[in-house]
Amino acid sequence: MKRKQMKRILLAAAGAALLTGCGAIPGSQKKSEDAQEQIPVIYEDEDFSDEFPDDSESMDGDSMENGAPESAVGAWLPPQAERVYSERNSSIVIGSTIIDHFNLPEEEWEENRYYYNYVNLDDDDDEEIFALLVGPAFSGSGGFTGLWMEPSDNMAIVQEFTLVNNPIFVTDDANGQGRGLIMERSGGGAGTELVLLTFDGKNYCSVSDAEPIEDVSDIEGTAILCDDLAEDMLSGDFMTLAD
């Protein structure tokens, strides 16, 4: 599939997300109980030349440059939170792990993108990877799909998440276990709210089971995956599973 066709599909996904919120639908045969409706298909003969100018500037992976407007992504984050954008180097190992885990057919690789950051989740001496999967195979009416991956164990997948919305605020306080994960929860007819995913020593609770959190103003931590997904779609600055 050509990159412009990919953008057309992703624009449809973004439009659906704005209208209904986004929810994760994994591409595997196993369907999560949290999964929501698939993103509607867009007709490929529609003209989106105005939405995708060929001379669009791409966003830097670490910061917003060239006078670009500040993104509203993560407006709820406390001012002291460190903001980190995703890695901008494609990874064959990460990509192939995602493809194998969800048994994703090759014709769908280019229409699904992924983002990832290195982060210490379980408060040990090693960094793990948190990946965010975006596209028709992974997006629905409440968020996207997330994966906790373990590089030291041949990129083994420790946990799969649905209903994930970026950014993800990783707290500094691990309470002797894993660090808390704070993110927005939406969809299902309910309003948007912040929730805290807690760690039980082995796994995090699901997004749907996470408890709402009212005030994050005094919480210290790092916000990962701070990318503006809509801006990336317009600029073409993203990685797909075909890269």
Side-chain angles (χ1 to χ4, degrees), residues 32-53:
S32 167
E33 62 183 4
D34 295 328
Q36 306 294 327
E37 295 180 359
Q38 284 281 14
I39 300 302
V41 176
I42 188 169
Y43 292 106
E44 295 202 341
D45 58 352
E46 292 190 45
D47 182 8
F48 285 89
S49 57
D50 292 338
E51 288 85 349
F52 300 114

Side-chain angles (χ1 to χ4, degrees), residues 59-65 68-73 82-88 115-118 166-167 222-229 231-232 237:
M59 184 182 73
D60 184 271
D62 296 318
S63 62
M64 298 292 286
E65 297 180 348
E70 184 178 352
S71 171
V73 173
E82 178 184 359
R83 296 175 181 238
V84 180
Y85 293 99
S86 68
E87 299 290 331
R88 290 293 172 166
Y115 297 80
Y116 69 96
N117 277 122
Y118 291 93
N166 72 304
T222 300
I224 62 172
L225 301 166
C226 287
D227 307 77
D228 187 328
L229 305 186
E231 173 65 24
D232 286 356
D237 188 13

